[in-house]
Amino acid sequence: MDFIRTIVAEDNRTKKWNGEVITRFPPEPNGFLHIGHAKSFCLNFGIAAENEGGRCHLRFDDTNPVKEEARYVESIQEDVRWMGWDWNEHLYYASDYFDQMYGYAVQLINKGLAYVCDLNAEMMREYRGTLTAPGKDSPYRNRSIEESLDLFSRMKEGEFKDGHCVLRGRIDMSSPNLNMRDPVMYRILHAEHHRTGNKWCIYPTYDWAHGLEDSIEGVTHSICTLEFENHRPLYDWYLDKLEVHHPQQIEFARLELTYTVMSKRKLLQLVEEELVKGWDDPRLPTISGMRRRGYSPESIREFCRRIGVNKFNSTIDIALLEHCVREDLNKTSNRVMAVLRPLRVVIDNYPEEQEEWMDAVNNPEEPEAGTRKVPFSKVFYIEQEDFMEDPPKKFFRLAPGREVRLRYAYFVTCTDVVKDDNGQIVELHCSYDPDTRGGNSPDGRKVKSTIHWVSEAHALRAEVRLYDHLFTKEHPEDTAEGEDFKVNLSPESLKTLSDCMIEPCLKDARPLDRFQFERLGYFCVDADTTKEKIVFNRTVTLRDTWAKIQKTGQKK
RNA sequence: UACCCGGUAGUGUAAUGGCAACACUAGAGAUUUUGAUUCUCUCAUUGGAGGUUCGAGUCCUCCCCGGGUAACCA
């Protein structure tokens, strides 16, 4: 059990919150959700689900109209729901509390704990001091309560321009915690809000708003990321001074993954500079990108469960994520044969017009998935990399004079290699053994490998998009002076193959359908699919021992 | 240089003061009509130095290292 669940369990035991467990996931609708957010909402919704009567609110922290948009509100709901979580009727918006927050601000002014300050942003920075030097009091700090009250209401009424003045908490300008040096509670922003329209021209800042949102909703455990640790004294201060329901803020480390970036700012940059194709580009760690790539919600949830929760920054090896998808897809995806880089093969001793429909198992891990028929004929395609004219010792696949098994079909032996004028192999000729139908040899002879194939006459054409890590470096932020993370973008993150051959059973495949292409990996139908052309995204390759052998061979 | 937080295999997460465990990765082997899956095996004295204790990853002290913080962002 992680340290947060330990706290929750202990609170339940001592009846600190009368046995209630209320958490919340409070995204700002200024971008798409990524797997780092998944870690957070799986934690929050997970804890709520694990506790009798517990609940988790989905709350949009929409306190900054200049960055937020309704389309993000929609995508966030879609993503959380797709991941399998349900907030029931507990969908909230910080903007719904603006009136209440205003009232609380007036209370603080009345207590002499907040004041309107006319210092401009630059001056305020100067007065704030530095990490090592204390700040000094604003000249407006001792303004009378009446005057602040008057000014604050005029701020709200729109009498002042943006930046003319702010409402600040009156705390301690010499606090070693910069957050406590009279923090800004309200700023003037004549901006249209995606929900409240032009009702407001003052907007609460995060620190002021967030604790109130939690408090108003009766949240018990307010779980956030580590960078808010320094803000906790302020979170506590506001709620203490207001003497209202006071949830416990608990911080945990945000998720970092190798070979990718997670900050919204960087993701936004990749999207806006068109270095990827939108927020749902399958190379991005966004939920929508991963969905499009073929990740299942179950695999992402399992990943979030396995990485645990901690209080220090760590970077998870993306191999763990890949392991989680493979593990889930291995159990759930139907197998199918597809040839990505086709090499034509003719069986010389197979009857010209004959076709046979072979029995194939849909999913060896799931007997209930049943079987299907796969058409076989004289001419078919195999993978280019499944043939070598001059094979090294450890290569088990097809080679001149060598016999291999065509999965679910026959044993074939390569008898001839046809090349074009450039010496490129364009076609293979084979002979087959009619007694090995289905792939069994009555005489018990063995072959060293089984390869996949697709009958030429029956094949469907497809485009397949192969994805690799978005960045070439484990830590894309590691760059030389003056360079930024984008120099580490991988030129090989996407390879598109447009002449792939797939089994006819895929003709009715729909976007988001997932399959295992035998011996290749897991693939997912893309939304770009049309009646003429099916498009697949490669989610992840199968584990590939042969590729490893080749790699170590190259090193030697 | 101030304050806050944190350091356990390559990576990540465990261990009422009582034999450092699990997963991923990597390597070796077995099985296999997917070089997949599955199965077996291998890989550490917990940042350092003291101290308390019969006994310390765990408690105390000092040191070292890493992260965060100076938006009218969240």
Side-chain angles (χ1 to χ4, degrees):
Chain A
M1 190 156 65
D2 61 70
F3 80 99
I4 296 178
R5 278 177 240 255
T6 304
I7 291 170
V8 173
E10 178 64 7
D11 289 348
N12 271 151
R13 197 184 63 79
T14 61
K15 294 274 180 290
K16 178 174 174 184
W17 307 104
N18 299 315
E20 276 199 309
V21 176
I22 303 171
T23 57
R24 100 265 98 109
F25 173 59
E28 183 190 14
N30 67 345
F32 280 62
L33 259 26
H34 54 62
I35 190 167
H37 294 105
K39 175 181 182 182
S40 173
F41 64 69
C42 287
L43 221 207
N44 279 295
F45 279 98
I47 287 174
E50 291 155 18
N51 287 280
E52 185 71 29
R55 62 173 202 256
C56 179
H57 301 174
L58 174 61
R59 179 175 69 226
F60 289 99
D61 204 359
D62 52 354
T63 58
N64 186 0
V66 305
K67 287 189 177 176
E68 296 152 9
E69 295 176 30
R71 68 183 181 116
Y72 294 130
V73 170
E74 286 150 28
S75 80
I76 289 169
Q77 292 189 55
E78 183 189 356
D79 288 348
V80 175
R81 215 179 278 127
W82 177 74
M83 281 288 295
W85 300 110
D86 189 356
W87 51 87
N88 297 307
E89 70 272 35
H90 301 289
L91 175 65
Y92 302 111
Y93 294 83
S95 52
D96 286 344
Y97 310 140
F98 283 172
D99 282 297
Q100 245 173 304
M101 289 175 184
Y102 183 85
Y104 280 128
V106 169
Q107 277 186 38
L108 278 198
I109 298 172
N110 274 317
K111 288 183 177 183
L113 296 173
Y115 63 99
V116 172
C117 179
D118 296 1
L119 249 28
N120 62 33
E122 192 193 335
M123 289 303 285
M124 204 183 294
R125 210 173 303 130
E126 248 174 65
Y127 274 73
R128 187 159 36 228
T130 66
L131 291 174
T132 49
K136 55 185 180 186
D137 290 357
S138 159
Y140 305 98
R141 195 172 204 262
N142 292 319
R143 178 121 83 180
S144 73
I145 290 173
E146 292 67 31
E147 193 183 358
S148 278
L149 246 20
D150 174 57
L151 255 13
F152 186 47
S153 97
R154 287 162 61 193
M155 280 168 66
K156 180 190 175 207
E157 294 313 315
E159 240 180 78
F160 310 117
K161 287 187 181 143
D162 287 6
H164 182 270
C165 55
V166 296
L167 183 73
R168 305 176 72 177
R170 197 165 182 276
I171 309 181
D172 178 7
M173 288 308 292
S174 64
S175 170
N177 184 337
L178 289 280
N179 296 123
M180 301 299 274
R181 321 244 259 229
D182 290 10
V184 172
M185 295 163 62
Y186 276 96
R187 74 278 208 189
I188 300 171
L189 242 37
H190 289 273
E192 184 171 319
H193 186 281
H194 64 99
R195 295 194 78 244
T196 60
N198 293 307
K199 180 181 176 189
W200 296 88
C201 63
I202 57 171
Y203 290 92
T205 56
Y206 170 86
D207 286 310
W208 166 243
H210 205 86
L212 292 178
E213 296 159 20
D214 288 341
S215 180
I216 289 166
E217 293 175 15
V219 164
T220 56
H221 303 271
S222 176
I223 300 166
C224 61
T225 45
L226 244 34
E227 68 270 25
F228 295 108
E229 219 161 14
N230 292 327
H231 296 241
R232 190 177 352 119
L234 182 52
Y235 181 100
D236 290 337
W237 188 87
Y238 284 133
L239 297 180
D240 282 344
K241 297 303 176 192
L242 255 13
E243 298 177 80
V244 292
H245 171 72
H246 189 155
Q248 179 182 2
Q249 175 177 308
I250 305 168
E251 310 85 12
F252 71 98
R254 60 165 74 239
L255 171 67
E256 298 289 349
L257 263 183
T258 55
Y259 296 106
T260 191
V261 292
M262 208 66 90
S263 92
K264 266 193 198 174
R265 209 196 86 246
K266 293 194 177 91
L267 293 174
L268 182 66
Q269 211 178 329
L270 294 174
V271 171
E272 286 188 337
E273 295 177 20
E274 297 184 353
L275 297 166
V276 296
K277 295 167 192 157
W279 282 103
D280 66 344
D281 188 298
R283 291 168 290 183
L284 255 23
T286 52
I287 304 290
S288 49
M290 293 174 73
R291 174 169 56 233
R292 187 167 183 181
R293 173 122 167 205
Y295 276 81
S296 62
E298 292 77 13
S299 64
I300 299 173
R301 282 171 67 155
E302 174 63 12
F303 171 76
C304 290
R305 193 188 66 75
R306 287 203 199 189
I307 58 177
V309 185
N310 51 264
K311 286 205 66 153
F312 51 92
N313 299 309
S314 57
T315 305
I316 311 277
D317 191 338
I318 199 157
L320 179 61
L321 214 210
E322 291 169 350
H323 172 263
C324 290
V325 230
R326 288 190 184 109
E327 184 181 54
D328 182 47
L329 267 24
N330 176 49
K331 288 189 215 119
T332 57
S333 319
N334 279 175
R335 270 117 249 232
V336 104
M337 290 196 283
V339 175
L340 268 30
R341 296 176 177 90
L343 173 59
R344 195 164 190 261
V345 182
V346 178
I347 304 186
D348 295 325
N349 61 338
Y350 193 87
E352 200 71 42
E353 299 300 325
Q354 184 170 315
E355 71 173 40
E356 293 180 78
W357 289 76
M358 306 301 197
D359 286 312
V361 174
N362 286 329
N363 184 349
E365 308 291 324
E366 176 55 70
E368 289 192 2
T371 60
R372 69 182 184 287
K373 298 280 190 184
V374 186
F376 183 76
S377 63
K378 185 181 178 77
V379 182
F380 54 89
Y381 293 94
I382 65 168
E383 211 66 59
Q384 284 171 23
E385 62 173 22
D386 283 342
F387 175 80
M388 277 183 102
E389 195 173 16
D390 184 20
K393 269 193 288 297
K394 288 181 176 173
F395 184 84
F396 302 149
R397 281 108 96 143
L398 197 61
R402 184 183 290 174
E403 184 172 54
V404 298
R405 171 167 37 231
L406 295 176
R407 177 139 237 224
Y408 300 127
Y410 291 101
F411 281 18
V412 294
T413 304
C414 178
T415 53
D416 197 16
V417 180
V418 182
K419 296 183 185 176
D420 64 12
D421 298 341
N422 301 319
Q424 289 293 308
I425 299 169
V426 292
E427 189 174 284
L428 259 28
H429 285 261
C430 290
S431 63
Y432 86 117
D433 177 353
D435 292 338
T436 57
R437 191 178 196 282
N440 301 299
S441 56
D443 61 2
R445 75 177 186 277
K446 299 260 192 275
V447 287
K448 280 184 118 175
S449 80
T450 300
I451 63 176
H452 62 275
W453 50 274
V454 174
S455 165
E456 180 179 64
H458 307 84
L460 263 31
R461 269 55 175 178
E463 173 179 317
V464 175
R465 299 171 184 171
L466 304 179
Y467 299 102
D468 198 354
H469 299 151
L470 222 204
F471 293 91
T472 54
K473 284 195 176 173
E474 275 194 32
H475 303 281
E477 281 90 356
D478 280 356
T479 53
E481 271 300 301
E483 293 183 328
D484 80 345
F485 73 104
K486 288 177 290 182
V487 305
N488 292 322
L489 241 12
S490 170
E492 313 222 304
S493 62
L494 167 62
K495 274 186 203 147
T496 302
L497 304 177
S498 44
D499 301 304
C500 307
M501 305 285 177
I502 59 177
E503 250 185 67
C505 73
L506 287 168
K507 69 177 191 309
D508 296 321
R510 311 291 294 262
L512 295 183
D513 283 352
R514 292 185 276 256
F515 300 92
Q516 183 196 102
F517 288 177
E518 293 224 18
R519 305 208 302 131
L520 297 174
Y522 297 96
F523 293 78
C524 180
V525 181
D526 191 82
D528 288 347
T529 293
T530 60
K531 272 181 192 151
E532 291 72 40
K533 186 181 70 173
I534 305 182
V535 178
F536 283 94
N537 294 312
R538 184 174 69 194
T539 311
V540 66
T541 61
L542 253 31
R543 279 188 60 201
D544 192 346
T545 314
W546 170 237
K548 267 179 207 163
I549 292 169
Q550 280 178 306
K551 230 184 232 172
T552 54
Q554 278 168 12
K555 274 182 210 159
K556 278 171 192 170

